[in-house]
Every structure is written in structure tokens, then in C-alpha cells.
Amino acid sequence: MQGSSSSACVNPSLAVAPRPPVAGADGPPARRIVVAHRLPLRASPDQNSPFGFAFSLDPDALSLQLSRGLPAPVTYIGTLPASAESKIVPSDELDCYLLENFSCLPVHLDGDRHAEFYDGFCKHYLWPLLHYMLPFTPADVVGRLRFDAASYRAFIAANRQFADRVIQVISPDAGDLVIVHDYHLWALPTFLRRKCPRAGVGFFLHSPFPSAEIFRSVPVRNELLRGLLNADLVGFHTFDYAHQFVSCCSRLLGISNTSLHGHMGINYHGRTVPVKIFSVGVDMGQLRAALASPEAAAKAKEIAEAYRGRVIMVGVDDVDLFKGVGLKFLALEKMLDAHKDMIRQVVLVQINNPARSRGRDVDAVRVETQRIEQRINRRFGVDGAGGSARIVTIDGLVPMSEKVAYYAAADCCVVSAVRDGLNRIPYFYTVCREEAPGARKSGAVVLSEFAGCSASLGGAIRVNPWNPEALADAMRAAVTMGAEEKQARHRTNYSYLSAHDAAAWARSFDEALQVACRDHPAMGFVGLGLGMSYRAVAVRPSFQMLTAEHVRPAYRRAARRLILLGYDGTMVPELLDEGKRAPSGGVLCLLNELCADPKNVVFLVSGRRKDQLAAWFAPCEKLGICAEHGYFTRWSRDDPWEVSDKHQEVASGTGWEAVAERATRQYSEATHGSYMEMKETAMAWHYQNADPVLGPCQAKELHDHLVGVLANEPASMAIGSQTVEVNPQGVSRGVAVEGLLGAMARRGNAPDMVLCAGDGEAMFAALAKAARAAGGGCAGALLPAGASVFACTVGRKASKAAFYVDEPADVVGLLAALVAR
């Protein structure tokens, strides 16, 4: 079992930035560690600096903006700015300088590794795939898009280096939390969980998350999904992205999910990983500062003079395949073709941000948009030869102080992305139209429905950018819109943005992460798997593997023993076909050896039908059986089946079985791969062979339906392991165990040692209750004082049992070791 990491730095020469004292606190305040691909720094050449560069915080860096609402102190981890990275020699002096002055701790990646990690795997494989591009897209369009094992290894190695940096500064015992930004660091939660199991880790994906049909094409899909599930909180921009992630986990990993108080969660090895939607906003303070700058005022004056008397549409996009700039230009061409009167009125100012990576795809986008732009300007220039351009393109790095001037001056903002995680351009535009000096406080936004922000801006004109006529009509509607409607739409957008700024995102994410990690101090973690298959099973600190060495001393000294065994998933593997579930000769022989010891009372406790169990275990003369979750009990093969008076009374109820059967049969017919099992007193609906997403949905719906129609009947409903069961009220394995203990106590043979192995949480709860009563000296206790109880679940998972074994073979091995003695 792995414990928490120490708070000391791995590198003693690295002085961690001191934490300010907190009045009344016993220790240092909790640190927030923000991890992103790049540090929020700017670097400019400076011959007077010992490092060759002068550094300053970059107000445009998203990781800095999204830290505004976090509690101090905040430490940033990432690589150096691209302008300086290859020209600076890594040193402890540099690291300490950046940490002390900017709370930034750099990760130094080798140049080749960084290129393979970022340009290779991240930008030319993972990023296009997250934007719904499949690997069979022609190579001459996008360059290489196929999975490359060497690039993936570089990606893993880079994430491991990031994890090493985090471990140097994190102190989970002090309440430190790690906030990881975006797909570049997808594997980081796995390495942090392995190195520091109690670390509180939140991951936010700034990109879209595709459907399972797209994501299943990734050769390492399971490792990547498990990477995010090793976080304590996973955040997305929109419900669609979150839902598709949950669907992928269900379809590809077979992991169940839950919903509580309106939020989704994934049940993963004893933890519930919350999956939430967080609205990323803009840094209002940064925008206001940019709008008030002299540079913005000068640029605003320049724009007013250059475009006097014309309607300005603005577009700001990265140069990549998914921003749809070409579609925007084609729609403008259609609009001008259809409405000649607008030729002299409208100009589209298109600002192209520098490309974030190099490649054939970027070159192809640039060539295509330039060709369309040149054609439009030739056709619709005022003098017919491009004398007055309809499209004005600005390439390269435009500072925010100039961009805000264009936003404030534009009558309309056009976003035509064909796939985008969020796209904050409409946010910037709306705030600038409201906050700029002398602002008109109105504006129109034409917004692609494929951009993540389209779900947030209720005042935007939403459009399918793949439909050029619809996009052209939307652009014309935006520039001809009446003042009253334009103001109303603008107010709707601005109201949302003012309530959901960057600081609000930080506060919301941090609060959710604190809630997700609140049980960490009381948890133990058991590590399973290697590399990216690693996962940490959350258990109680006392949870441990059960071996013969644990049980043998109590087994030998006991005067009377009770051995309780489940069947499916305990004596035989859960995933066996139904035709192969019958016990083997070895299992039958082992049970007979156990039963031959006069000190032993051995019971099989199962949900299966009594006739089936009686036939399977006919060779075991002295084996007791509790069938159908304990409704039927017999103490040996030749004893009659017993039913308690209480159960008989319930069974003679009001005919609820027919109602339940009709409802369950409808769901069986509607859910391919499911089937209904009728028992003597109960029924079960099995969906392990149904669609992994549809099956659980139908199960919940069937359960809720049965709860409604049988509300006044003596029946109980439960969702089990890929089943929905309907049993007579009061029937459970826990009740059955209490009945066995009570019967033995009445006969004067109360067991002083109990071994219970299986998957029945009700049994474990009943035994724990009996042990507490015995330890407290309660009258009528079912166990004698000092009785030894070994409750053991199969599989490392959250359980009321104190022990576990990994698989059914371990149960059989444990029993064989006890028999051998």
C-alpha cells in the first residue's frame, strides 16, 4: 500500500517559494500548483541578464488568467517560453530565480523530445483526433495523422518529467492541490497518482472530447482514459464533451457511472471521479487594462480613420484546419454576390494568430484562404480591381492592446469554426463592446454551432458554417440588424460573461476539487498495474489482502467455525459463460474436505435458484445452501428447504410478481442482449451482454419504473452487478447470515471464528454488526466475545469487508491452504 508523498523537495538546492503565514493556522496554507504546457511568462533578449533573457508574467496566458480566483499561494509549472527555451542552458540558478520572482518552476525538455511530444504526438495526432479527425484522412491534406509509437513514448516521457517537477513542490498533507490544463498533460494524473497517491489532482480539458466511435480508433485509448480517471476531478467546457467522455469510459472500459445532485461521476476503483462542466470566461481586469492603454486608444483612432463610413466585421482565428476561415470568406462572397448594395459598405478584418505548430496542414490552410481572399478582393474591390479590399487580413502576432481596438470598433464578430473546444473570441468582442471608452454597448455575434461557446451565448446568431448560404444570411442579418435587437442580444451575452469570468471559473473548479479530495486523509491506496495502466484503488487504511497466514491461527484454535462462501465471482469467475458456471470437480472436492471437519459449518450463499444449486452441489452431502439471497435455506443435502415465517408471509402477498414480470419482459424485448431470469420467489434482469451504454440506462429506468409500480407491494428492487433484481421484501444475504448465526446460537454452537468470502456487502455489514455487539457485551449477541471474523471481498474495490483477495482462484487457494493445515 502506498502512502502520501513527503513535502520536502527532491532537489535540495531548489528553494520552494515560502508560503505566507496564516493567522491561527498550525501549518503553511495549502498551495495551488497550476500545471500547463507553457509557463505564463514572456521572455525578451537581455544582454544584462545572467540568463540572456528578461522575464515577465504574460497577462495573455490562459493558465495565469484562470488562476485569478485561486487562493494564494499559486505555483506554476511548465516549459519556458518558446522564444527562450532553446537558447537557455538549464540551471538551478534559473529555476530558483523564476520560482522566487514569478512562482514559476520550469520543466526542461530536451529539444528533440519536446518536438516529438508537442509537434509530433500532441498537435499532429491527439489534437486533430479530439477535433473529430480520423487517421484515414489523406496524408496530403493534414500530413501524418497515424499513431506513432515513438511520438507516444516522447509524450509519456515528457509527462513523467512534469510529474517529477510537481512532486518536488507538492505537500498533500498540507492540502496542496494540482490543477492540470489540457491534453498535452493527459498522462500527468497517472504519474502523480503513482508517485503521490494522496495528491489532489484536477484535470481540465480545453479541447473537445469526441464520441466513442472516434476515440476508439486510438491504439492507446484505454491508457488515455485511465489517465484522466486517475485525477480526482475531470472538467470540460460543455455537457456534450463531458457526456462523451463518460460514454467512452462506459463503452471502452466497461466502467459504470453515477449521477448525484445533477452531476455526473464515474465509479473507479473505490473512488467516484466527478465529471463536471465549468464555464471558462475572460479575465475582465486584463481586458479593461488593455482597453484603457494608450496603445488601444491610438489603434482605435487609426481604425476609425481607415474604415470611416463602413461596417466592420471582425474575425480572429488561429491558422489551423478547424477554424473555418475559408468558409467565412466563401460566405462573405455569397453575401456580396446576392446583395450588391453591401459591396461598398462592408469590410471583414481578419486577424490570423500565429500558427501554434508547423506542418503541411497549416500551409494548406494558409494557401487556401489567401486564394479565396485574393479572388474576393479582385471581384468586389470598389474599382473592380481590388482598389478597396473587402477582406483585410492581418497576419502575425497582434498584441491584445490592438486587438481590443478592433473588437470595440467592429459592428459584428464572425466565428465560423468547424470544431472548437470553446473559442473565447466572441467573449472578448462582447466585453470590449461594453467596456471600451465611448462604447456603443451593442453588437452582433455570428457564431458557429460547432464552437463550445455557442452553448453559452444566448444572444448570438448560431449557424452551421458548413452551409454557406445560411452563414451568408447570418452575416447579413448581423450587419443589418436593428439597434434595439442588437442591444438586446448584446445584453444577454454580456450578462452571462460578467457572471462567468475567469476568476469565477477558478473559484468553481477549486471548490469542486476540494470536495472531490476531502476523503483523501482517511483513504489508503493500493497500486495496480504498470506504466499508463496504473491505477490506485482507494480503500480504508485497514483494508488488506487476506492470506492463509492471517486466518490459520484463528482457524486452528476455534472450537466452532462458520464458513460463508459466495458462488458467482467467488468460487468461479464472474465473466464465465452461463454454460460453464457449474462447479468443477476440484471445487466440489474442496468443499467436501471443508465439510468433513466436524468443527466446520460451511454455507454457500447465492442469488441462484435452489433447484440449480441443489443439482450442482449434490455431491456435497454436508454443504449448507442459502438460495435466492437467503429466501430458501437448507443445512445439508438431505435436510428440507426452510423458509422463515416472515418470508412465507411476504411470499403470499398480492401478486406483485406478475406486475414485475410484465414490466421486466418489456425491457428485455427492448434491450438487445438482455434477458430475464425467473426464480421461484424473485426475478432478475441481466444486461451484461447488452450495449454498455444502453444497458445501464435501461437498468436505471427499469429500476425506477419498478419502484413506482410496486411502491405499495412487499417487494424490494436493487441494481446489482449488471442485473436488476426484484426480491420479496426483507430478503437479503445479510438477513440470511443473521438467521444462520441466530440458529447456531440457539443450538449452543455459536461460532468463535467466521470466514466470509464473496461479493455480498449485506453479509459483511451483518457480520460487522454481530462483531460489534459481541465486543460490546450486548445481551443476545449472535457471536461470543472475542470471536474472530474475516470478511473478505473478491477484487480490490471499496467494500465493507476488512480484507480482499484478487480473484476467485485466490479464494480456492486460501480454502485449500486451510484444509491442508
Side-chain angles (χ1 to χ4, degrees):
M1 187 173 296
Q2 300 187 31
S4 62
S5 166
S6 71
S7 60
C9 290
V10 174
N11 182 356
S13 67
L14 183 63
V16 178
R19 308 184 190 190
V22 177
D26 295 331
R31 183 191 300 269
R32 298 301 182 265
I33 301 170
V34 176
V35 194
H37 172 225
R38 294 286 186 191
L39 287 171
L41 292 175
R42 288 176 177 169
S44 57
D46 184 355
Q47 294 181 351
N48 297 322
S49 168
F51 313 112
F53 284 86
F55 293 94
S56 61
L57 287 174
D58 181 3
D60 295 334
L62 185 59
S63 60
L64 182 65
Q65 294 177 5
L66 295 182
S67 302
R68 301 294 190 201
L70 295 178
V74 178
T75 299
Y76 301 93
I77 292 179
T79 59
L80 291 170
S83 60
E85 185 176 36
S86 62
K87 302 171 186 176
I88 288 184
V89 178
S91 66
D92 290 344
E93 290 76 15
L94 173 65
D95 296 351
C96 289
Y97 169 78
L98 295 178
L99 190 58
E100 182 178 348
N101 290 277
F102 306 105
S103 294
C104 290
L105 184 59
V107 178
H108 302 290
L109 298 179
D110 173 79
D112 291 338
R113 173 178 289 178
H114 199 166
E116 278 290 296
F117 151 67
Y118 182 73
D119 292 316
F121 188 77
C122 289
K123 294 304 290 185
H124 284 96
Y125 180 74
L126 189 55
W127 181 76
L129 188 134
L130 291 175
H131 288 73
Y132 283 72
M133 185 172 284
L134 283 170
F136 54 66
T137 304
D140 59 344
V141 176
V142 297
R144 58 175 181 166
L145 187 59
R146 299 193 183 279
F147 178 82
D148 180 75
S151 296
Y152 179 63
R153 286 194 295 271
F155 170 76
I156 294 301
N159 274 257
R160 188 178 284 114
Q161 279 190 245
F162 274 85
D164 291 340
R165 273 307 203 195
V166 174
I167 294 301
Q168 288 182 333
V169 295
I170 190 172
S171 177
D173 293 336
D176 289 0
L177 297 177
V178 182
I179 298 173
V180 183
H181 286 287
D182 223 3
Y183 62 93
H184 316 92
L185 303 175
W186 196 301
L188 183 57
T190 291
F191 295 118
L192 290 178
R193 189 66 62 205
R194 186 182 190 94
K195 293 171 181 285
C196 187
R198 285 193 176 85
V201 182
F203 182 95
F204 187 82
L205 185 67
H206 292 270
S207 297
F209 195 95
S211 68
E213 293 307 308
I214 300 290
F215 201 80
R216 72 168 62 246
S217 69
V218 180
V220 290
R221 63 195 189 191
N222 288 4
E223 289 89 339
L224 292 180
L225 289 175
R226 292 188 189 280
L228 295 195
L229 292 176
N230 276 322
D232 295 289
L233 170 68
V234 182
F236 296 92
H237 284 304
T238 72
F239 172 79
D240 284 346
Y241 304 158
H243 173 72
Q244 282 163 184
F245 170 68
V246 171
S247 175
C248 274
C249 291
S250 178
R251 289 184 179 278
L252 304 181
L253 297 180
I255 296 175
S256 65
N257 59 79
T258 185
S259 179
L260 182 65
H261 305 308
H263 297 294
M264 293 178 285
I266 296 177
N267 302 317
Y268 190 65
H269 293 291
R271 296 182 298 123
T272 297
V273 181
V275 179
K276 292 191 172 185
I277 299 99
F278 298 94
S279 299
V280 171
V282 298
D283 186 341
M284 290 290 197
Q286 182 234 6
L287 276 182
R288 287 167 182 154
L291 286 165
S293 67
E295 294 84 359
K299 179 56 69 172
K301 184 177 180 180
E302 177 186 324
I303 293 170
E305 292 175 356
Y307 301 103
R308 192 182 307 277
R310 297 163 76 182
V311 176
I312 302 174
M313 295 190 291
V314 68
V316 181
D317 299 280
D318 294 344
V319 180
D320 66 51
L321 287 167
F322 303 105
K323 292 301 183 286
V325 176
L327 296 176
K328 187 189 306 184
F329 288 0
L330 291 174
L332 176 65
E333 184 175 32
K334 282 191 171 294
M335 184 184 78
L336 297 179
D337 264 330
H339 305 281
K340 305 294 186 183
D341 59 310
M342 303 193 72
I343 293 176
R344 293 179 176 272
Q345 299 177 24
V346 174
V347 60
L348 171 61
V349 178
Q350 176 63 40
I351 299 175
N352 293 328
N353 295 325
R356 301 193 186 189
S357 64
R358 303 178 300 274
R360 200 181 307 168
D361 54 333
V362 173
D363 296 337
V365 169
R366 189 176 283 113
V367 169
E368 179 192 17
T369 55
Q370 287 176 351
R371 177 178 55 80
I372 300 172
E373 174 193 350
Q374 290 167 3
R375 184 181 72 232
I376 292 173
N377 283 336
R378 281 197 307 270
R379 289 188 60 203
F380 300 107
V382 172
D383 59 4
S388 182
R390 299 302 99 196
I391 300 176
V392 176
T393 298
I394 303 172
D395 288 306
L397 184 62
V398 178
M400 182 57 79
S401 58
E402 295 185 10
K403 283 182 182 176
V404 295
Y406 282 103
Y407 292 137
D411 300 275
C412 167
C413 175
V414 183
V415 174
S416 54
V418 296
R419 187 72 63 182
D420 212 342
L422 181 67
N423 199 312
R424 295 195 299 166
I425 300 304
Y427 293 1
F428 296 140
Y429 169 77
T430 300
V431 173
C432 290
R433 293 288 290 181
E434 177 74 21
E435 301 274 353
R440 305 176 192 177
K441 301 188 184 300
S442 69
V445 175
V446 176
L447 182 56
S448 165
E449 61 191 34
F450 296 106
C453 63
S454 68
S456 306
L457 295 181
I461 302 174
R462 298 187 184 93
V463 66
N464 177 1
W466 293 108
N467 184 337
E469 289 81 8
L471 183 53
D473 291 344
M475 292 166 67
R476 183 173 185 274
V479 298
T480 60
M481 187 181 297
E484 187 174 339
E485 180 183 357
K486 189 177 287 189
Q487 287 176 355
R489 287 176 175 270
H490 171 79
R491 280 196 300 271
T492 299
N493 293 341
Y494 184 75
S495 296
Y496 170 81
L497 294 174
S498 59
H500 298 86
D501 63 355
W505 180 94
R507 289 191 295 270
S508 178
F509 194 89
D510 189 71
E511 289 169 4
L513 183 55
Q514 289 185 59
V515 171
C517 301
R518 62 188 172 190
D519 294 331
H520 278 201
M523 282 184 179
F525 291 89
V526 178
L528 297 176
L530 300 173
M532 283 297 290
S533 296
Y534 179 84
R535 58 263 189 213
V537 180
V539 296
R540 298 188 313 278
S542 59
F543 197 56
Q544 55 185 312
M545 179 179 285
L546 185 64
T547 64
E549 286 68 28
H550 286 110
V551 183
R552 191 176 285 120
Y555 187 87
R556 287 176 175 173
R557 66 173 177 263
R560 174 65 65 181
R561 314 179 190 105
L562 175 61
I563 300 174
L564 303 167
L565 303 170
Y567 185 67
D568 295 281
T570 304
M571 303 300 291
V572 296
E574 186 78 48
L575 298 179
L576 284 178
D577 294 336
E578 185 63 26
K580 300 178 181 179
R581 292 283 183 93
S584 65
V587 168
L588 295 174
C589 181
L590 177 60
L591 291 174
N592 276 328
E593 288 187 68
L594 283 168
C595 294
D597 190 326
K599 294 183 178 180
N600 289 345
V601 174
V602 184
F603 263 86
L604 197 74
V605 185
S606 172
R608 287 185 174 271
R609 302 187 307 273
K610 65 181 178 60
D611 294 341
Q612 184 180 50
L613 293 173
W616 278 357
F617 293 94
C620 300
E621 179 183 356
K622 296 182 180 180
L623 177 69
I625 297 177
C626 290
E628 298 193 21
H629 300 295
Y631 185 91
F632 296 104
T633 301
R634 76 176 190 188
W635 290 77
S636 69
R637 183 185 64 192
D638 298 328
D639 287 334
W641 291 99
E642 299 175 359
V643 179
S644 71
D645 294 339
K646 179 181 178 181
H647 287 166
Q648 284 181 336
E649 182 180 334
V650 171
S652 61
T654 57
W656 58 264
E657 298 93 337
V659 177
E661 181 182 356
R662 282 196 302 273
T664 306
R665 193 174 301 282
Q666 290 177 352
Y667 279 83
S668 297
E669 294 170 353
T671 312
H672 179 71
S674 69
Y675 66 93
M676 184 172 63
E677 178 189 10
M678 297 299 300
K679 305 176 184 180
E680 191 168 333
T681 63
M683 66 184 65
W685 183 70
H686 301 266
Y687 61 92
Q688 61 265 32
N689 296 321
D691 180 273
V693 173
L694 177 63
C697 291
Q698 293 286 76
K700 185 179 185 307
E701 189 173 312
L702 172 60
H703 174 270
D704 293 346
H705 176 66
L706 290 172
V707 167
V709 298
L710 301 178
N712 298 318
E713 302 292 344
S716 63
M717 283 61 66
I719 298 179
S721 176
Q722 298 182 315
T723 62
V724 176
E725 294 185 309
V726 188
N727 291 293
Q729 203 167 56
V731 174
S732 75
R733 298 187 193 194
V735 174
V737 168
E738 290 176 350
L740 295 177
L741 292 174
M744 294 180 71
R746 287 191 297 273
R747 297 174 184 179
N749 291 321
D752 52 0
M753 182 269 184
V754 181
L755 171 61
C756 177
D759 204 21
E761 293 299 309
M763 291 195 297
F764 303 147
L767 288 174
K769 178 182 176 182
R772 286 194 301 271
C778 297
L782 301 178
L783 290 173
S788 300
V789 176
F790 300 91
C792 177
T793 188
V794 182
R796 304 188 197 190
K797 56 183 181 289
S799 173
K800 293 182 175 68
F803 299 92
Y804 71 89
V805 293
D806 286 327
E807 56 186 359
D810 295 330
V811 176
V812 174
L814 172 65
L815 297 176
L818 295 178
V819 170
R821 284 193 276 184

